[in-house]
Amino acid sequence: MTEPSSPAPPPPGIPRFGPRPCTLVVCRGCCCGDAAKNPGTDHAGQLARLREAAAASGGRLAVRTTDCLGPCGQANVVVVQPSAEGRRAGGRATWVGWVLDRDGTDDLVAWTRAGGPGVAAPPATLELHMIPPPSDARRRQGR
């Protein structure tokens, strides 16, 4: 009887399948990332900082951008999706608004390094920026 062989490694540039990482979904729609709406915010620098943190995370953090998430009055919006581990522990996607400065970005990075939703408590300052998902806000307003 022969031993089963290990699967071949993926081609260069293709990530190895593994546990789902904590993911930051960064809004870059109509208002988020817009220098005219939020002058003085280094939007490109913010995204670069998040991507650097993901690159240094060893696959525990992913960053992606998306079109408008909806709560434009609370730009810049970032949704923190839990890792597979966080999801198993009860973590759910967390919406964070007004991420406009380095401190807010650093708080996001620190929380995701610690494990994110379901694994680690967010920094207290980040909790002040948490917003309801748009559907929850509409439901509370009777829409």
Side-chain angles (χ1 to χ4, degrees):
M1 194 172 210
T2 62
E3 293 290 320
S5 62
S6 297
I14 304 295
R16 179 179 296 277
F17 178 78
R20 180 184 167 155
C22 184
T23 303
L24 297 176
V25 182
V26 182
C27 182
R28 283 299 182 253
C30 61
C31 296
C32 295
D34 183 355
K37 179 166 183 151
N38 293 299
T41 298
D42 183 1
H43 300 286
Q46 177 188 58
L47 192 54
R49 170 82 174 98
L50 295 174
R51 287 182 170 154
E52 288 166 7
S57 75
R60 294 189 48 123
L61 174 63
V63 174
R64 66 182 181 92
T65 58
T66 187
D67 204 7
C68 185
L69 288 169
C72 297
Q74 296 151 337
N76 289 345
V77 176
V78 178
V79 179
V80 185
Q81 296 176 327
S83 63
E85 176 187 4
R87 178 72 70 178
R88 282 190 299 274
R92 296 295 176 256
T94 303
W95 287 60
V96 183
W98 304 287
V99 184
L100 296 168
D101 60 16
R102 184 157 181 100
D103 290 341
T105 302
D106 289 346
D107 285 346
L108 281 172
V109 169
W111 185 31
T112 57
R113 277 188 181 146
V119 176
T125 52
L126 194 60
E127 285 183 342
L128 297 172
H129 291 263
M130 291 183 180
I131 60 174
S135 61
D136 287 352
R138 284 192 297 269
R139 198 171 19 257
R140 279 197 311 279
Q141 294 172 356
R143 292 184 194 168

PDB file of all heavy atoms in Angstrom, residues 79-92:
ATOM      1  N   VAL A  79     -15.832  47.307   6.372  1.00  0.00           N
ATOM      2  CA  VAL A  79     -16.512  46.175   6.987  1.00  0.00           C
ATOM      3  C   VAL A  79     -15.444  45.160   7.364  1.00  0.00           C
ATOM      4  O   VAL A  79     -14.624  44.766   6.530  1.00  0.00           O
ATOM      5  CB  VAL A  79     -17.553  45.545   6.042  1.00  0.00           C
ATOM      6  CG1 VAL A  79     -18.220  44.340   6.707  1.00  0.00           C
ATOM      7  CG2 VAL A  79     -18.593  46.580   5.625  1.00  0.00           C
ATOM      8  N   VAL A  80     -15.441  44.754   8.633  1.00  0.00           N
ATOM      9  CA  VAL A  80     -14.485  43.773   9.135  1.00  0.00           C
ATOM     10  C   VAL A  80     -15.207  42.430   9.184  1.00  0.00           C
ATOM     11  O   VAL A  80     -16.102  42.233  10.015  1.00  0.00           O
ATOM     12  CB  VAL A  80     -13.947  44.153  10.531  1.00  0.00           C
ATOM     13  CG1 VAL A  80     -12.864  43.188  10.965  1.00  0.00           C
ATOM     14  CG2 VAL A  80     -13.434  45.593  10.538  1.00  0.00           C
ATOM     15  N   GLN A  81     -14.840  41.534   8.281  1.00  0.00           N
ATOM     16  CA  GLN A  81     -15.443  40.208   8.240  1.00  0.00           C
ATOM     17  C   GLN A  81     -14.597  39.256   9.080  1.00  0.00           C
ATOM     18  O   GLN A  81     -13.369  39.272   8.981  1.00  0.00           O
ATOM     19  CB  GLN A  81     -15.528  39.698   6.807  1.00  0.00           C
ATOM     20  CG  GLN A  81     -16.436  40.537   5.939  1.00  0.00           C
ATOM     21  CD  GLN A  81     -16.445  40.072   4.496  1.00  0.00           C
ATOM     22  OE1 GLN A  81     -15.446  39.583   3.978  1.00  0.00           O
ATOM     23  NE2 GLN A  81     -17.579  40.225   3.848  1.00  0.00           N
ATOM     24  N   PRO A  82     -15.241  38.426   9.903  1.00  0.00           N
ATOM     25  CA  PRO A  82     -14.467  37.540  10.767  1.00  0.00           C
ATOM     26  C   PRO A  82     -13.764  36.448   9.981  1.00  0.00           C
ATOM     27  O   PRO A  82     -14.189  36.064   8.894  1.00  0.00           O
ATOM     28  CB  PRO A  82     -15.521  36.943  11.699  1.00  0.00           C
ATOM     29  CG  PRO A  82     -16.806  37.051  10.961  1.00  0.00           C
ATOM     30  CD  PRO A  82     -16.683  38.271  10.087  1.00  0.00           C
ATOM     31  N   SER A  83     -12.701  35.949  10.566  1.00  0.00           N
ATOM     32  CA  SER A  83     -12.021  34.776  10.021  1.00  0.00           C
ATOM     33  C   SER A  83     -12.905  33.560  10.257  1.00  0.00           C
ATOM     34  O   SER A  83     -13.921  33.639  10.965  1.00  0.00           O
ATOM     35  CB  SER A  83     -10.685  34.583  10.748  1.00  0.00           C
ATOM     36  OG  SER A  83     -10.933  34.312  12.125  1.00  0.00           O
ATOM     37  N   ALA A  84     -12.521  32.421   9.703  1.00  0.00           N
ATOM     38  CA  ALA A  84     -13.264  31.183   9.962  1.00  0.00           C
ATOM     39  C   ALA A  84     -13.285  30.897  11.460  1.00  0.00           C
ATOM     40  O   ALA A  84     -14.320  30.521  12.023  1.00  0.00           O
ATOM     41  CB  ALA A  84     -12.634  30.028   9.188  1.00  0.00           C
ATOM     42  N   GLU A  85     -12.167  31.102  12.118  1.00  0.00           N
ATOM     43  CA  GLU A  85     -12.080  30.909  13.570  1.00  0.00           C
ATOM     44  C   GLU A  85     -13.032  31.852  14.296  1.00  0.00           C
ATOM     45  O   GLU A  85     -13.760  31.451  15.214  1.00  0.00           O
ATOM     46  CB  GLU A  85     -10.645  31.138  14.037  1.00  0.00           C
ATOM     47  CG  GLU A  85     -10.451  31.064  15.523  1.00  0.00           C
ATOM     48  CD  GLU A  85      -9.040  31.470  15.954  1.00  0.00           C
ATOM     49  OE1 GLU A  85      -8.215  31.888  15.110  1.00  0.00           O
ATOM     50  OE2 GLU A  85      -8.783  31.388  17.161  1.00  0.00           O
ATOM     51  N   GLY A  86     -13.053  33.124  13.896  1.00  0.00           N
ATOM     52  CA  GLY A  86     -13.934  34.100  14.511  1.00  0.00           C
ATOM     53  C   GLY A  86     -15.397  33.774  14.273  1.00  0.00           C
ATOM     54  O   GLY A  86     -16.231  33.921  15.162  1.00  0.00           O
ATOM     55  N   ARG A  87     -15.714  33.307  13.083  1.00  0.00           N
ATOM     56  CA  ARG A  87     -17.096  32.941  12.752  1.00  0.00           C
ATOM     57  C   ARG A  87     -17.548  31.774  13.633  1.00  0.00           C
ATOM     58  O   ARG A  87     -18.645  31.777  14.179  1.00  0.00           O
ATOM     59  CB  ARG A  87     -17.185  32.592  11.270  1.00  0.00           C
ATOM     60  CG  ARG A  87     -18.534  32.140  10.795  1.00  0.00           C
ATOM     61  CD  ARG A  87     -19.561  33.213  10.727  1.00  0.00           C
ATOM     62  NE  ARG A  87     -19.305  34.155   9.669  1.00  0.00           N
ATOM     63  CZ  ARG A  87     -20.106  35.161   9.403  1.00  0.00           C
ATOM     64  NH1 ARG A  87     -21.216  35.319  10.082  1.00  0.00           N
ATOM     65  NH2 ARG A  87     -19.827  36.011   8.468  1.00  0.00           N
ATOM     66  N   ARG A  88     -16.672  30.770  13.791  1.00  0.00           N
ATOM     67  CA  ARG A  88     -17.005  29.631  14.660  1.00  0.00           C
ATOM     68  C   ARG A  88     -17.233  30.070  16.104  1.00  0.00           C
ATOM     69  O   ARG A  88     -18.021  29.467  16.829  1.00  0.00           O
ATOM     70  CB  ARG A  88     -15.908  28.563  14.607  1.00  0.00           C
ATOM     71  CG  ARG A  88     -15.956  27.694  13.374  1.00  0.00           C
ATOM     72  CD  ARG A  88     -15.021  26.505  13.491  1.00  0.00           C
ATOM     73  NE  ARG A  88     -13.631  26.887  13.656  1.00  0.00           N
ATOM     74  CZ  ARG A  88     -12.780  27.150  12.665  1.00  0.00           C
ATOM     75  NH1 ARG A  88     -13.183  27.065  11.421  1.00  0.00           N
ATOM     76  NH2 ARG A  88     -11.544  27.487  12.909  1.00  0.00           N
ATOM     77  N   ALA A  89     -16.557  31.136  16.526  1.00  0.00           N
ATOM     78  CA  ALA A  89     -16.691  31.645  17.897  1.00  0.00           C
ATOM     79  C   ALA A  89     -17.855  32.625  18.040  1.00  0.00           C
ATOM     80  O   ALA A  89     -18.046  33.209  19.098  1.00  0.00           O
ATOM     81  CB  ALA A  89     -15.389  32.309  18.329  1.00  0.00           C
ATOM     82  N   GLY A  90     -18.622  32.827  16.964  1.00  0.00           N
ATOM     83  CA  GLY A  90     -19.787  33.706  17.033  1.00  0.00           C
ATOM     84  C   GLY A  90     -19.593  35.087  16.452  1.00  0.00           C
ATOM     85  O   GLY A  90     -20.504  35.913  16.501  1.00  0.00           O
ATOM     86  N   GLY A  91     -18.417  35.377  15.907  1.00  0.00           N
ATOM     87  CA  GLY A  91     -18.158  36.693  15.319  1.00  0.00           C
ATOM     88  C   GLY A  91     -18.969  36.921  14.058  1.00  0.00           C
ATOM     89  O   GLY A  91     -19.229  35.984  13.299  1.00  0.00           O
ATOM     90  N   ARG A  92     -19.386  38.146  13.857  1.00  0.00           N
ATOM     91  CA  ARG A  92     -20.138  38.532  12.665  1.00  0.00           C
ATOM     92  C   ARG A  92     -19.481  39.768  12.060  1.00  0.00           C
ATOM     93  O   ARG A  92     -18.715  40.460  12.714  1.00  0.00           O
ATOM     94  CB  ARG A  92     -21.598  38.841  13.017  1.00  0.00           C
ATOM     95  CG  ARG A  92     -22.372  37.639  13.546  1.00  0.00           C
ATOM     96  CD  ARG A  92     -22.520  36.569  12.465  1.00  0.00           C
ATOM     97  NE  ARG A  92     -23.156  35.361  12.927  1.00  0.00           N
ATOM     98  CZ  ARG A  92     -22.512  34.222  13.187  1.00  0.00           C
ATOM     99  NH1 ARG A  92     -21.209  34.147  13.089  1.00  0.00           N
ATOM    100  NH2 ARG A  92     -23.174  33.155  13.552  1.00  0.00           N
TER     101      ARG A  92
END
